[in-house]
């Protein structure tokens, strides 16, 4: 009577949008679930650019994964790094030697930025995928203004106040709008030597228009909105070289101390763990039911897979696609436990959304397009709705209201990697005792204590 | 007609409580002011322990210095590290070679933790003075629980769940209360292998009582409040050794993976810059008018000076003492410009305040003592009052209300020093590509990506 048959074991790798949607959808199913992530937090990535540009603080867009599942006793959260998957014995291998056996596996490991064979550009043009990326970018942006304030040479000062963004997808467009507003609105009146109008924000895109995923009328609107804010947009010009402090494109060389990479992503190493077939971006080529060929119990979802949607176009690497994949995988596990099978996954594209500064946004629902301040309010409300928990919704709404009313951004902190600091708390340490701050570039102002 | 005599130049080193109070008090005076700080932000240090224990996020207790003085065109903010002061020519020397001449100088450079000749203990028992210290401590605390959850050996698990705090002044007492509430309240129900009750918080104090600056009845109350929360308090036992994972005191050796130093402070190197006489903690021995002997135009205030109050006791290293010193120095400069002189500085001790968990605090105003929840509410309201700006007041009040109602702490992020991350964004990097996380100790769970 008291004996219990072992329940079906589901392992979910990755606590992002896809993984958490799967766990949510498995609520009440007769399964034991283990979530593995190398981070302790779920990150609301669509707002990460707002952390990088000082509007929000990291904890406003991140939640401990184990807190989100605390009321699910059948869910175990493991902080750990996956190093391999044994397809034959159905075991996930962690870096510390731990092994997690599974009956069903959901791989939801996302993507990182890709440099298309130019990995050497990364130190000079960092991308934006993690909270650490965001606080590092925030530091670079703020330090550039501080250094410019103290720079006597006009050419060097202009280079310090030049911000180049490579790639005009939603992240590039949103960063460009936020950085120019940071310079012209938030930092207004705070400097004595430089004037905020001196700051140049340059958006470089190899393709013919900004927001290439949107319909052309909305791309055109977004281009106009960026230009009205003062962003210089260069279309159809591919970047050919990035160095410490300069970017080459369209035959020109631009001196820019701050260069940001928003041009491409590459899948997680999940395909390597599985030795599975992948596309050029490393994304696993999955079956129409989101399983990995050869392993019907291994699902892969979200940014780490390559999949074609019903319209013949690739399923985009956005949060909603990952969530739909996670729900589908969960439903598949449930129906199989009930002895049935599911029809193939069918992606439904709900829409595209991007914001440009604090009073314009473009939204394309297919049946409805919104622009301008109507779009901006719809964008804001949608994002607050998608945040988790009342506390963070109030907190983000307050931060945005504050910026809207006063222009003040509340998270303007220059902080340094604390790792190097742990061993030394000398208040005014000489330079040689300081932790390395940025690879490939000596900061123009003094480093951390 | 258009010629302007050069105005009296005031340089303020340090944008802490003392430095900013001086700048505030100089409003309207016929002076040009330069604030130099190696940080871009003013930090509300009394709440730093709440960042370390996940209750508040860094930006809730820090403000960009130049934002605070944006409406004062006569004030210039410089982000830079001071390396020396030339007393004869009246020039402050910055690390990058810049030189700031002054007519009056206010040194408000604060203090850091001191290990009383045991600097080798620092990597194993870090202290709490900067935002980076706080986020590093937050990471250590949260990682300890994560590692314990995955630890099979009961003795190792107990060591991971043992938190030793050295020093029972306000910081030690507040940290002890916050850590035990984090374990027993916030993390409740979130782990599957460990139980929060297994966590031990041990407060070690060489002196005979906790909160030695308070009157004895309040110390006794605080001791009882700590013990009711479950903190183990060891009084009259000096720490004799700290290693990676153990602390020795009173003839015992305690295995504790997390050891926190809250036992002492040491002044900034300002005395060395000046080659001035200092006490054993490095604090400058100033004249009764807060000037440095031999230089009537150089004031030194706050934690970096040694001073005896009117009651014969040393002026304590608290925010209010720094503020009073800053205001006095500003008033001295004003009166001298008017051709008069000020009577000596007279410190007025307004009171002592410390909190123990979320429902008890001790306040000693001299004429009034408060304890229990009355004290806690008075503590909370006082601290919200002393925060700068409406936005941060609302934000901190919201965070506290949330913890009070739900026990949830909103800033439970394990983040790593982003510096090492800048050069590599590999999602699942092998261990040898990872930045160093903690000196002297290999983390028990995997490092950053």
């Amino acid at each position: 009577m008291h004996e219990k048959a072992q329940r079906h074991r589901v392992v979910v790798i990755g606590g992002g949008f896809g993984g958490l949607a799967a766990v949510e959808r498995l609520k009440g199913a007769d399964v034991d679930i283990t979530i593995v992530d190398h981070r302790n937090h779920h990150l609301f990535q669509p707002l990460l650019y707002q952390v990088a540009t000082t509007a929000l603080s990291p904890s406003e867009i991140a939640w401990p994964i184990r807190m989100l599942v605390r009321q699910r006793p059948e869910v175990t959260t493991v902080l750990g790094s996956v190093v391999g998957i044994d397809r034959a014995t159905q075991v996930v291998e962690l870096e510390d030697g731990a092994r997690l056996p599974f009956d069903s596996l959901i791989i939801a490991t996302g993507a990182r930025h890709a440099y298309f064979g130019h990995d050497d550009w990364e130190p000079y043009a960092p991308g934006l995928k993690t909270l650490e990326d965001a606080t590092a970018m925030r530091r670079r942006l703020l330090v550039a203004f501080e250094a410019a304030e103290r720079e006597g040479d006009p050419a060097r000062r202009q280079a310090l106040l030049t911000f180049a963004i490579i790639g005009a997808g939603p992240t590039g467009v949103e960063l460009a709008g936020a950085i120019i507003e940071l310079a012209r609105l938030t930092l207004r009146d705070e400097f004595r030597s430089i004037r905020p109008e001196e700051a140049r924000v340059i958006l470089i895109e190899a393709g013919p228009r900004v927001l290439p995923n949107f319909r052309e009328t909305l791309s055109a609107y977004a281009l106009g909105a960026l230009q009205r804010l003062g962003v210089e947009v260069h279309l159809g010009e591919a970047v050919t070289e990035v160095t410490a402090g300069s970017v080459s494109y369209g035959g020109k060389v631009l001196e820019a101390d701050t260069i940001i990479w928003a041009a491409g992503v590459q899948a997680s190493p999940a395909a390597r763990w599985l030795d599975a077939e992948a596309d050029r971006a490393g994304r696993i080529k999955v079956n129409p039911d989101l399983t990995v060929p050869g392993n019907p119990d291994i699902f892969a979802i979200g940014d780490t897979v390559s999949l074609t949607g019903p319209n013949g176009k690739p399923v985009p690497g956005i949060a909603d696609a990952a969530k739909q994949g996670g729900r589908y995988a969960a439903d598949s596990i449930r129906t199989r436990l009930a002895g049935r099978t599911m029809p193939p996954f069918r992606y439904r594209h709900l829409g595209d959304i991007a914001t440009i500064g604090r009073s314009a946004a473009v939204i394309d629902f297919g049946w409805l397009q919104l622009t301008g301040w109507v779009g901006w309010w719809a964008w804001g409300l949608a994002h607050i709705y998608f945040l988790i928990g009342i506390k963070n919704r109030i907190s983000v709404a307050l931060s945005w209201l504050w910026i809207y009313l006063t222009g003040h951004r509340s998270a303007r902190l220059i902080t340094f990697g604390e790792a190097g600091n742990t061993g030394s708390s000398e208040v005014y340490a000489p330079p040689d005792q300081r932790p390395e701050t940025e690879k490939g570039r000596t900061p123009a102002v003094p480093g951390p204590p």
Side-chain angles (χ1 to χ4, degrees), chain A:
Chain A
M1 285 292 279
H2 286 83
E3 245 176 43
K4 211 171 88 176
Q6 182 176 310
R7 301 216 292 178
H8 188 89
R9 295 161 302 183
V10 179
V11 171
V12 178
I13 310 178
F17 287 111
L20 287 188
V23 172
E24 173 67 25
R25 192 73 151 217
L26 284 168
K27 197 169 182 173
D30 192 29
V31 296
D32 283 322
I33 303 172
T34 302
I35 309 176
V36 194
D37 201 299
H38 61 139
R39 295 286 183 167
N40 84 321
H41 51 267
H42 168 70
L43 178 65
F44 193 82
Q45 267 184 351
L47 291 178
L48 195 54
Y49 81 97
Q50 297 220 349
V51 173
T53 54
T54 78
L56 297 177
S57 75
S59 56
E60 288 181 304
I61 61 161
W63 302 260
I65 294 166
R66 61 171 72 257
M67 189 191 88
L68 298 176
V69 295
R70 68 194 294 163
Q71 283 162 345
R72 302 272 301 274
E74 83 281 15
V75 181
T76 301
T77 308
V78 171
L79 177 67
S81 286
V82 171
V83 291
I85 297 167
D86 190 325
R87 294 166 72 135
T89 58
Q90 306 220 132
V91 167
V92 173
E93 298 158 352
L94 302 192
E95 187 187 63
D96 64 355
R99 295 166 64 81
L100 303 172
F102 61 84
D103 299 308
S104 295
L105 175 65
I106 299 174
I107 299 173
T109 42
R112 59 183 179 89
H113 14 271
Y115 288 80
F116 310 129
H118 291 286
D119 286 352
D120 53 310
W121 294 355
E122 181 163 9
Y124 315 125
L128 189 60
K129 273 287 171 192
T130 68
L131 285 178
E132 283 87 353
D133 291 343
T135 49
M137 194 175 288
R138 179 174 84 180
R139 184 180 67 231
R140 284 178 84 121
L141 293 172
L142 294 174
V143 163
F145 287 96
E146 296 290 342
E149 170 82 348
R150 301 190 56 202
E151 177 61 55
D153 175 29
R156 275 293 302 137
R157 190 166 64 220
Q158 188 58 66
L160 284 162
L161 291 177
T162 301
F163 302 89
I165 299 156
I166 303 170
T171 300
V173 166
E174 294 183 324
L175 278 169
I179 292 170
I180 202 142
E181 288 199 341
L182 173 68
R184 302 209 171 165
L185 208 71
T186 304
L187 300 181
R188 190 176 52 195
D189 303 332
E190 292 195 9
F191 291 86
R192 303 294 174 249
S193 303
I194 58 171
R195 285 171 307 127
E197 307 89 88
E198 292 175 51
R200 292 175 68 194
V201 178
I202 291 153
L203 183 61
I204 306 164
E205 166 62 42
R209 57 194 177 102
V210 304
L211 300 177
N213 285 344
F214 288 65
R215 68 182 64 202
E216 291 203 19
T217 51
L218 294 180
S219 288
Y221 172 82
L223 176 63
L226 285 166
Q227 289 171 334
R228 277 191 295 279
L229 282 177
V231 175
E232 302 166 43
V233 184
H234 295 262
L235 298 173
E237 299 188 356
V239 168
T240 52
E241 179 70 299
V242 178
T243 69
S246 84
V247 53
S248 306
Y249 62 98
K252 300 181 285 286
V253 179
L254 176 74
E255 304 270 315
D257 267 55
T258 308
I259 306 167
I260 294 171
W261 189 260
V265 294
Q266 179 164 354
S268 76
R272 275 194 269 132
W273 300 337
L274 292 165
D275 197 19
E277 199 190 346
D279 69 6
R280 280 178 57 200
R283 293 176 300 188
I284 303 166
K285 294 188 176 175
V286 288
N287 294 322
D289 65 352
L290 301 187
T291 60
V292 175
N295 284 76
D297 295 318
I298 301 183
F299 297 87
I301 62 172
D303 289 6
T304 206
V305 306
S306 168
L307 198 67
T308 303
N311 57 2
K313 293 207 299 191
V315 173
I318 61 175
D320 193 54
K323 286 182 181 177
Q324 291 183 34
R327 290 190 205 112
Y328 176 87
D331 288 341
S332 286
I333 293 167
R334 277 174 173 277
T335 50
R336 286 179 191 180
L337 288 173
R340 299 191 307 274
T341 53
M342 291 266 291
F345 174 65
R346 195 179 156 81
Y347 171 67
R348 272 188 66 217
H349 189 64
L350 294 180
D352 290 300
I353 188 162
T355 178
I356 307 125
R358 67 168 181 172
S359 53
V362 289
I363 302 183
D364 187 351
F365 289 125
W367 53 277
L368 174 70
Q369 289 86 44
L370 297 175
T371 59
W373 65 267
V374 178
W376 190 86
W377 280 95
W379 173 90
L381 292 174
H383 280 73
I384 286 170
Y385 173 80
F386 282 117
L387 291 171
I388 302 171
I390 298 167
K391 164 74 165 64
N392 281 40
R393 288 184 184 137
I394 299 173
S395 182
V396 170
L398 174 67
S399 294
W400 286 350
L401 182 70
W402 215 253
I403 295 169
Y404 200 82
L405 294 177
T406 68
H408 291 199
R409 287 156 188 262
S410 50
R412 275 171 49 201
L413 300 180
I414 298 177
T415 51
F416 294 89
E418 76 268 8
N421 262 23
T422 313
S424 162
S425 67
E426 171 77 31
V427 177
Y428 289 79
D432 57 320
Q433 289 179 20
R434 293 203 177 126
E436 187 185 13
T437 49
E438 306 272 349
K439 280 194 183 155
R441 183 124 197 108
T442 307
V445 296

